[in-house]
Amino acid sequence: MKRTVTMLSAVAAAVALAACGDREADDRTAGQQLDSVIAQADRQTDRMEQQAERGAERARDAAGDAADATSRGVDRAGDAISDAAITASVNAELARDSQLSALGIDVDTDNGRVTLTGRAPDEASRERATQLASSVRGVVSVDNNLQVESGAQSRTTQ
């Protein structure tokens, strides 16, 4: 499409030159004039395409740099949530639950992996403890080792 517009512009310019009656223009044939104008238009089009390619490359580089910076920021933010903060948040969530708050549930966190140990009054409360711990920001997985008071075996949930 660009080349078509360029060619039409070149032809129009050649016709205009021929119509002017310029002496130098009279010395050359219309075909030579047209060839010259077309060659000049092609060179200009090539320069513009090269500039556009360089601009697109700079834009891609800038977008890549921005993505890298964003990724580094996200990593730093994730690192800021320490295991101690996760443990405190899980304990706070468990304390808000009326059936779980009175129980001695031990919460340990290692690299975002939470382990719950202790006793739960029933299976529903045990599962609720897993859900509450899982809802805390930064928790990667929950190992629920809570024993149901009726003596049922523990189960690990991830």
Side-chain angles (χ1 to χ4, degrees):
M1 180 71 173
K2 286 185 201 176
R3 292 234 186 247
T4 303
V5 171
T6 302
M7 292 302 215
L8 289 174
S9 299
V11 170
V15 170
L17 282 174
C20 286
D22 184 50
R23 282 190 176 201
E24 188 177 315
D26 290 341
D27 292 338
R28 294 187 289 171
T29 65
Q32 289 171 327
Q33 291 175 20
L34 182 58
D35 288 345
S36 175
V37 170
I38 289 172
Q40 184 179 13
D42 278 346
R43 286 190 301 273
Q44 185 173 4
T45 299
D46 289 343
R47 281 192 304 270
M48 290 171 37
E49 286 175 351
Q50 289 171 354
Q51 289 174 347
E53 287 172 13
R54 284 192 300 269
E57 186 175 330
R58 283 193 297 268
R60 281 190 299 272
D61 289 347
D65 291 347
D68 290 345
T70 300
S71 179
R72 285 190 304 273
V74 168
D75 289 345
R76 274 189 245 117
D79 292 343
I81 299 173
S82 69
D83 288 338
I86 291 172
T87 298
S89 295
V90 171
N91 279 323
E93 288 297 318
L94 295 174
R96 285 188 191 104
D97 186 276
S98 62
Q99 289 189 346
L100 297 174
S101 64
L103 302 175
I105 297 176
D106 184 41
V107 179
D108 291 312
T109 308
D110 183 29
N111 291 321
R113 186 177 179 143
V114 173
T115 302
L116 302 175
T117 54
R119 297 203 172 273
D122 53 42
E123 188 62 33
S125 296
R126 182 181 184 281
E127 290 302 317
R128 195 168 49 258
T130 299
Q131 292 171 348
L132 291 171
S134 295
S135 70
V136 171
R137 183 169 176 236
V139 171
V140 175
S141 65
V142 177
D143 292 329
N144 187 334
N145 296 325
L146 294 177
Q147 298 290 318
V148 176
E149 290 180 349
S150 64
Q153 289 187 338
S154 69
R155 189 177 80 176
T156 300
T157 306
Q158 292 187 351

